[in-house]
């Protein structure tokens, strides 16, 4: 399995605190040592840092920890390989263009019969993972359903959640998907989330000796949602997602929810 | 204008030496201060480092200088903006999927009337640059000409060079394009290249006080080609490309050439 993390915020916010905890699970406090990747959005542009090395020992992960990149949407993945070997081509997140935007995707889980059950025509996988294959299948379905007419976020949300439920029949499918504006989350078994807003307080990482006082880092209008496979802090209240539940966040706020 | 750099090699090779020189031109020895980006291939996988900050002062550029990432194909770009504002979405290289591969593209020059003369249908630009627009147009033409049947490298080379000559009618178009296997280069006015192979010697950077003895860094079978807008070293013989000339390199070797 793997671990997922994402952020949606209404102001450009750095993810250094949360990433400091998560990266330790990549070969130190956790077994997810088969590479990692993180994608930051700045408007419609995005940039990724990826490494097939364990995040706990990666100079690139150290840079991401130390260098506060301000972003409104972030998706992060640390990998414990099960489908596809350990290599850069199989390292999440995966990014593809759609409707004049960068779409970014990361998956935790394992899918059976994905090559026959999720046949793709227009979006061809580059690596060997079930994860990238399912991403290409989702984009193929979106293209065939909506063609060049990008749907509104509500229609998009309900259509993608329907696709997630089909994929879920093939195995565990915990999903993070974003176009930089929305953050869509689908849960089979392991996903948690929380929204930080005023009044802000302190938070303490589980995986590293680090405490942050968000009151000193934020303004009273900031709204920041963090999603993670397992809670990253031990003194905040995380919502555990239910099996089959879907959420859509935009600018840090929960917009749509389905069960 | 901007500066381009690329590498094609028959063994995974790091680009730290050449990048050390080039990054100085991004706000130090050169005026190209409007961001930079570099893409490294490892097999079919690739990873990019991008920053809208000047490369000479970028912590990410410093990491790329210090951390020897071994790659067979590299494309790098430092930007002096003329079309599109300074932002991540307008920062080269641009990457798009095609025929189950990652295609990476960088451009130096300026194109007039590109929105009307290079209309795109299937590949939509995400940012505002003439460069990304021309990339989308090239992919559209390839899709319409070859559909799902990827051509061999000779047919691909001649077809793309034909497209480059059409784009060249709109302005300066110095191009780097790769799918990770081949490196295609087209020159309007400013591109130089050299191939390093045994017997290897010393080389001295123009933009930084750095000398490398490739004899100690390589084996006798290594073949490494470097392409750059302006020569990066002052004690090696660089070939100056001619106007309208196209080259295709594979595993460090020149395979096809057109004038």
């Amino acid at each position: 399995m793997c671990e997922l993390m994402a952020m949606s915020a209404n102001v450009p916010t750095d993810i250094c605190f949360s990433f400091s905890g998560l990266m330790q699970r990549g070969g130190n406090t956790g077994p997810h040592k088969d590479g990692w990747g993180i994608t930051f959005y700045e408007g419609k542009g995005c940039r990724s840092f990826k490494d097939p090395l364990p995040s706990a020992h990666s100079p690139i992960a150290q840079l991401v920890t130390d260098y506060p990149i301000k972003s409104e949407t972030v998706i992060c993945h640390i990998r414990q390989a099960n489908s596809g070997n350990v290599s850069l081509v199989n390292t999440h997140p995966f990014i593809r263009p759609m409707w004049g935007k960068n779409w970014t995707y990361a998956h935790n889980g394992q899918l059976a019969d994905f090559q026959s059950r999720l046949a793709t025509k227009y979006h061809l996988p580059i690596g060997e993972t079930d994860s990238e294959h399912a991403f290409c299948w989702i984009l193929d379905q979106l293209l065939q359903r909506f063609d060049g007419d990008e749907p509104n976020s509500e229609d998009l949300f309900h259509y993608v959640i329907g696709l997630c439920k089909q994929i879920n029949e093939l195995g565990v499918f915990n999903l993070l998907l974003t176009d930089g504006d929305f953050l869509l989350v689908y849960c089979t078994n392991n996903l948690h989330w929380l929204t930080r807003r005023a009044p802000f307080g302190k938070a303490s990482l589980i995986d590293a000796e680090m405490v942050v006082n968000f009151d000193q880092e934020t303004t009273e209008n900031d709204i920041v949602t963090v999603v993670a496979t397992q809670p990253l802090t031990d003194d905040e209240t995380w919502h555990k997602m239910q099996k089959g539940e879907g959420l859509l966040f935009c600018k840090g706020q929960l917009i749509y929810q389905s069960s």
Side-chain angles (χ1 to χ4, degrees), chain A:
Chain A
M1 303 294 280
C2 311
E3 291 220 20
L4 300 172
M5 183 179 76
M7 185 191 79
S8 170
N10 67 340
V11 290
T13 302
D14 79 68
I15 190 91
C16 292
F17 175 70
S18 297
F19 186 76
S20 299
L22 187 75
M23 70 174 283
Q24 295 301 326
R25 299 182 185 173
N28 191 2
T29 60
H32 315 89
K33 60 175 177 37
D34 299 323
W36 63 279
I38 187 167
T39 300
F40 298 88
Y41 279 79
E42 295 169 32
K44 292 176 77 178
C46 64
R47 53 178 154 181
S48 300
F49 297 85
K50 284 186 171 188
D51 207 339
L53 295 177
S55 56
H57 314 300
S58 161
I60 305 173
Q62 193 58 51
L63 175 87
V64 173
T65 305
D66 297 338
Y67 186 46
I69 295 174
K70 302 270 187 181
S71 178
E72 293 181 5
T73 312
V74 176
I75 279 186
C76 180
H77 181 272
I78 56 175
R79 184 163 183 241
Q80 189 174 13
N82 51 43
S83 165
N85 59 5
V86 178
S87 65
L88 192 56
V89 75
N90 292 333
T91 304
H92 306 225
F94 300 102
I95 305 178
R96 300 248 175 178
M98 184 88 170
W99 295 319
K101 296 178 178 175
N102 288 302
W103 286 55
T104 299
Y105 162 106
H107 163 228
N108 156 349
Q110 194 162 5
L111 305 173
D113 304 324
F114 63 91
Q115 285 168 319
S116 57
R117 296 282 298 275
L118 303 175
T120 66
K121 182 176 176 185
Y122 303 103
H123 299 84
L124 304 180
I126 298 174
E128 302 91 38
T129 61
D130 50 358
S131 304
E132 189 197 13
H133 204 102
F135 182 31
C136 290
W137 183 81
I138 289 173
L139 294 178
D140 259 26
Q141 305 308 307
L142 285 168
L143 187 66
Q144 291 180 63
R145 170 67 183 80
F146 299 104
D147 197 17
D149 299 320
E150 182 182 355
N152 64 43
S153 60
E154 184 172 8
D155 290 347
L156 180 83
F157 171 68
H158 290 295
Y159 186 71
V160 172
I161 294 299
L163 299 177
C164 292
K165 290 182 185 291
Q166 292 181 56
I167 298 171
N168 206 157
E169 293 172 8
L170 309 182
V172 172
F173 190 67
N174 298 303
L175 166 77
L176 301 175
L177 180 69
T178 181
D179 69 351
D181 287 328
F182 69 75
L183 171 65
L184 188 149
V185 187
Y186 179 81
C187 175
T188 297
N189 55 5
N190 271 320
L191 276 171
H192 297 76
W193 65 279
L194 58 72
T195 300
R196 297 184 183 121
R197 63 178 88 212
F200 292 95
K202 285 186 182 175
S204 309
L205 286 182
I206 293 171
D207 300 86
E209 286 190 27
M210 191 181 297
V211 179
V212 68
N213 188 345
F214 287 112
D215 194 39
Q216 295 167 359
E217 308 277 335
T218 53
T219 72
E220 62 180 17
N221 298 321
D222 294 8
I223 303 174
V224 181
T225 289
V226 177
V227 182
T229 296
Q230 295 297 332
L232 294 165
T233 56
D234 56 12
D235 47 5
E236 297 178 293
T237 302
W238 291 75
H239 307 279
K240 179 173 171 56
M241 287 181 69
Q242 303 302 308
K243 177 176 169 58
E245 186 179 5
L247 304 173
L248 191 91
F249 298 95
C250 188
K251 299 188 186 304
Q253 305 215 55
L254 180 60
I255 306 293
Y256 301 113
Q257 186 165 14
S258 79
S259 55

